[in-house]
Amino acid sequence: MAASGREFQARVGGRASSLLAPCTLIAALSFTPWVIGAEAPWAQFAFRAIGLTAFGVVSLNEMRGALARSRWAASATMGCILIVATSGLSAAVSINRGKSLEAMLNLLAIAGLFLTAAIVLRGKKFFRGVALLEVLAAVPVAAVGIAQHFRPDLVPAGNSYPGRALGPFGQPNRLGGYLIALIPLALALSFSIQDRLLRLGLLLAVFAFTLCLVATYSRGAWIGFAVGLLSLAALLTRWPELMPRPVWIGAALVALLAPAILLLPSILSRITPKPSAAPAWNLPIDPEREGSGAMRRAVWSGSVAAFAARPVLGWGIGAFREGYDRSKSDPLKRLEAVGGRTADQAHNYYLETLAERGVLGLAAFLTFVALCAAAGLAAFREGTPDSRLLAAGLLASVAALLVHAALEDNVSLVPHGTLLFANLGLLVAVAPGSKDVPSRRVRWAGAAGVLVAVLGIAVSGLSAMAATTAQDGVKATAVGRLDEATARFAAATRLAPWEELYAAGRGKAAESSARAGRGSAALREAESGYRRAIALNGSDPVTRHELARLYLSHATEFGSAGIASAERELRAALTQNPHYAEIRNDLGVALLAQGDRAGARAEFRAAGEGRPEFVDPLLNLAVLAQEDGNIAEATRLVAIAIERNPGSARAARMRESLEVRSGK
């Protein structure tokens, strides 16, 4: 045993590097569930630093020719490189380079964790230890979700999921998607471990995970859960010699079924079809009035349209929202403009991958998964009983995640993606075959990996520093220190020039400074910030609208050229989404400023058909009617405006003015 240990240390480049990479995997699996929704910049940086450190360690040993791997590991590594390469190509043509860069940093970090699991880990104790760590790390996550279900006062205020377990994810579907990966793995570990106390502990964990999963009331997660259990059962049924004793099978069934029996009435309520009971925010044009399934179908339709527009490399990894906003159906564009609702995800990881990375990206992902699954099946057929049971649990865990990915985008999130790639790496690691076959010494590939890791950590640090600086700018804006806020956002833009949000924040802060009488320099600063944000992300009509409003609000300073620029930006914004009443109303203002009364009147009329409470277009039409001497028409329009929005101060003032003019 001692000789084998010395040989292993030499192959991976010494004790320090052989321990560092597994430690990064352990750290990532332990803390990622708790930071997914964290606003603190350190959270993302910490994860990226961990994963990229693992990536760098593996690459360093590759460069030195110190790695030994099986043929399965070599094939899976090539599959992982294929994912990174195709994603990098999609990032190169992305319509939002900032989001694509951030997404690539996360992908590289996750790839580093996969390589650690697949190549660096050696021995049954390490494999089982990492799998057991995954289960233990999920216990407090489930505890939080269970507490939230039975104590609804623990759910964050203003949350739109009353009575459902959210966990640290703040969203039930994400919590459910996390738990379904752990339940089959915990079951398989309980079957393979001989210590009765530990086996009972694992079955208690299965009970807690299942109870929390039921309390999420996430039907998509339930489907993934069922597929994971069926996969595990099918594997064990095919090779009955791996079946545990009947008493343990019975205990496992109790742990799985008791939570469903306990919460059966609420489960039936969740799955029983019922008439539409629209939440308060639903509008007549909202597909979700017909249920979440209708909304998913509408989002899927837009995702397919986004893919069809760029089928090869997609819109760019991480840039789903931008591609979707350009491709979604007209009713959903209207829903965004009127109700402020859109989709940040495709509710289907495979469609989202097609939209972001195209056919090449999805093909690379499926090829990679197939290679890892083949390695796991080989381990299940040919390994020792313990490794076969571990492989069965890992295969079932992966199956649950991949099926759930057809209904959500959870695999693209850091905790779920880390779990998936770690389990795929473990499948490769337990595959049969010699682990002592030296890899070909490709120094340039290892050196490139080290360089990518170092650059990735550096860029991640800059991103975290920029986010912290921008948060300081937000705080300064809130307390009225506008010059300081502008400087903070400008500094954030210099640190992370790929991020349009900081440029837009700089523009808003500078505009506030200009309104406070800080001079024309602030106006030019605001214009520069907005234009920079548009250059980085041209898919957002709101930023174009803000730039146009800057020109219209300061027409004296910007002159006729500014009014003409405002018209161009407003028309471009309406090309992206023609249903924004505010944008169309301001286009009417710009046309009126240029003397086009007929064009302005047409835009005001169209804008008046937008959000009912937005009555400025009606009042602008009333002003035009009053200027034309048509007091009756002006009075009628003001009355309609007051009926639609009784709290409009402008409408009330205009009614009083018209009453004076008419002698009432």
Side-chain angles (χ1 to χ4, degrees):
M1 293 298 291
S4 175
R6 287 195 297 271
E7 186 179 11
F8 168 65
Q9 291 169 14
R11 284 204 177 107
V12 298
R15 181 179 300 274
S17 62
S18 66
L19 290 177
L20 179 58
C23 286
T24 60
L25 180 62
I26 291 169
L29 291 171
S30 300
F31 93 100
T32 50
W34 302 95
V35 300
I36 181 174
E39 298 295 332
W42 65 263
Q44 278 279 20
F45 173 72
F47 168 73
R48 291 170 180 170
I50 287 171
L52 287 167
T53 298
F55 192 92
V57 169
V58 175
S59 299
L60 178 63
N61 288 298
E62 177 73 28
M63 182 178 68
R64 297 169 57 187
L67 282 179
R69 67 184 78 183
S70 68
R71 290 182 175 82
W72 285 114
S75 299
T77 300
M78 291 305 299
C80 185
I81 292 173
L82 186 62
I83 288 181
V84 172
T86 54
S87 300
L89 287 174
S90 81
V93 299
S94 174
I95 61 171
N96 190 326
R97 302 288 177 82
K99 280 191 176 181
S100 289
L101 176 59
E102 300 284 351
M104 282 300 300
L105 291 173
N106 286 341
L107 176 62
L108 288 169
I110 290 175
L113 298 173
F114 164 78
L115 294 173
T116 296
I119 299 175
V120 178
L121 290 185
R122 293 288 189 275
K124 180 177 68 175
K125 290 184 178 180
F126 282 104
F127 304 149
R128 183 186 289 174
V130 172
L132 186 60
L133 172 72
E134 292 184 14
V135 175
L136 293 177
V139 170
V141 174
V144 171
I146 293 171
Q148 288 171 332
H149 174 71
F150 290 103
R151 286 280 307 278
D153 56 299
L154 298 177
V155 174
N159 196 280
S160 57
Y161 303 99
R164 300 174 67 179
L166 312 176
F169 300 97
Q171 210 267 2
N173 296 329
R174 293 176 178 179
L175 175 58
Y178 177 79
L179 293 172
I180 61 174
L182 281 309
I183 295 173
L185 184 57
L187 278 174
L189 286 172
S190 73
F191 294 157
S192 67
I193 289 174
Q194 300 304 315
D195 185 277
R196 291 188 176 184
L197 189 60
L198 184 54
R199 179 176 285 188
L200 284 173
L202 285 168
L203 290 178
L204 284 174
V206 170
F207 172 81
F209 295 163
T210 308
L211 179 61
C212 185
L213 174 63
V214 173
T216 65
Y217 300 105
S218 172
R219 290 168 293 186
W222 292 349
I223 293 172
F225 168 65
V227 170
L229 290 184
L230 289 174
S231 300
L232 180 61
L235 290 170
L236 296 181
T237 303
R238 174 65 179 81
W239 283 272
E241 66 271 17
L242 298 177
M243 281 282 192
R245 290 166 52 193
V247 63
W248 292 113
I249 295 178
L253 289 175
V254 170
L256 292 169
L257 297 177
I261 296 172
L262 181 64
L263 299 178
L264 184 59
S266 54
I267 294 175
L268 294 176
S269 174
R270 177 67 175 161
I271 63 177
T272 302
K274 48 185 174 292
S276 174
W281 61 80
N282 278 181
L283 301 166
I285 57 173
D286 189 348
E288 201 161 5
R289 288 179 65 87
E290 302 172 21
S292 60
M295 188 63 182
R296 274 182 168 77
R297 289 190 295 273
V299 174
W300 291 342
S301 174
S303 303
V304 170
F307 157 66
R310 289 194 176 191
V312 180
L313 291 173
W315 296 87
I317 180 174
F320 170 79
R321 167 73 181 272
E322 286 72 18
Y324 174 77
D325 279 349
R326 294 191 183 191
S327 307
K328 62 189 176 186
S329 64
D330 195 67
L332 286 179
K333 287 185 177 181
R334 186 181 173 196
L335 179 61
E336 177 188 0
V338 176
R341 299 184 59 201
T342 187
D344 292 314
Q345 56 141 314
H347 291 290
N348 183 307
Y349 177 74
Y350 307 104
L351 281 179
E352 188 164 314
T353 302
L354 280 173
E356 289 186 354
R357 291 176 261 178
V359 171
L360 292 181
L362 182 60
F365 175 76
L366 295 178
T367 300
F368 167 69
V369 169
L371 289 171
C372 296
L377 288 172
F380 185 75
R381 289 193 301 266
E382 304 171 26
T384 64
D386 284 349
S387 65
R388 293 171 72 187
L389 281 169
L390 177 58
L394 291 168
L395 285 166
S397 171
V398 168
L401 281 170
L402 294 178
V403 168
H404 190 232
L407 298 169
E408 296 291 344
D409 77 324
N410 288 350
V411 174
S412 65
L413 303 175
V414 164
H416 305 72
T418 300
L419 266 183
L420 175 65
F421 275 65
N423 287 347
L424 289 173
L426 289 175
L427 283 174
V428 173
V430 300
S434 173
K435 304 293 191 298
D436 299 328
V437 179
S439 61
R440 294 179 58 190
R441 294 187 65 174
V442 187
R443 291 183 180 275
W444 64 267
V450 172
L451 178 61
V452 167
V454 172
L455 289 176
I457 292 176
V459 172
S460 297
L462 291 175
S463 179
M465 291 170 60
T468 302
T469 304
Q471 287 181 350
D472 291 340
V474 172
K475 294 175 183 177
T477 304
V479 298
R481 297 197 299 268
L482 301 176
D483 288 341
E484 179 186 345
T486 303
R488 290 287 186 181
F489 282 115
T493 301
R494 288 192 296 272
L495 286 169
W498 59 84
E499 180 57 79
E500 81 275 5
L501 293 180
Y502 305 151
R506 171 189 165 203
K508 292 176 183 177
E511 183 178 3
S512 298
S513 293
R515 288 176 177 167
R518 307 295 171 86
S520 60
L523 287 177
R524 298 301 173 185
E525 178 86 0
E527 180 186 25
S528 174
Y530 287 136
R531 289 211 171 277
R532 173 67 178 166
I534 293 170
L536 290 169
N537 176 19
S539 296
D540 184 11
V542 175
T543 306
R544 294 185 183 276
H545 186 207
E546 288 171 342
L547 175 59
R549 288 176 66 88
L550 175 72
Y551 290 134
L552 294 175
S553 300
H554 303 277
T556 302
E557 290 84 352
F558 287 107
S560 59
I563 300 297
S565 296
E567 181 187 350
R568 285 195 300 271
E569 297 299 337
L570 292 166
R571 290 193 184 279
L574 289 172
T575 299
Q576 294 171 336
N577 191 330
H579 299 292
Y580 272 101
E582 296 89 341
I583 297 177
R584 193 167 293 282
N585 177 73
D586 286 346
L587 176 58
V589 173
L591 292 174
L592 190 61
Q594 297 176 92
D596 185 359
R597 292 175 66 86
R601 184 177 282 108
E603 297 300 338
F604 292 147
R605 284 178 181 148
E609 298 174 0
R611 292 188 298 112
E613 66 275 13
F614 180 61
V615 296
D616 279 2
L618 293 175
L619 300 178
N620 290 337
L621 286 171
V623 170
L624 290 178
Q626 187 175 355
E627 290 175 354
D628 292 339
N630 193 345
I631 303 301
E633 176 65 8
T635 302
R636 185 184 72 83
L637 290 168
V638 170
I640 295 174
I642 291 176
E643 181 181 355
R644 285 169 50 170
N645 187 356
S648 171
R650 183 187 174 196
R653 289 195 303 270
M654 289 186 66
R655 179 172 62 180
E656 293 174 3
S657 175
L658 288 169
E659 288 176 349
V660 169
R661 289 196 60 177
S662 62
K664 293 185 180 180

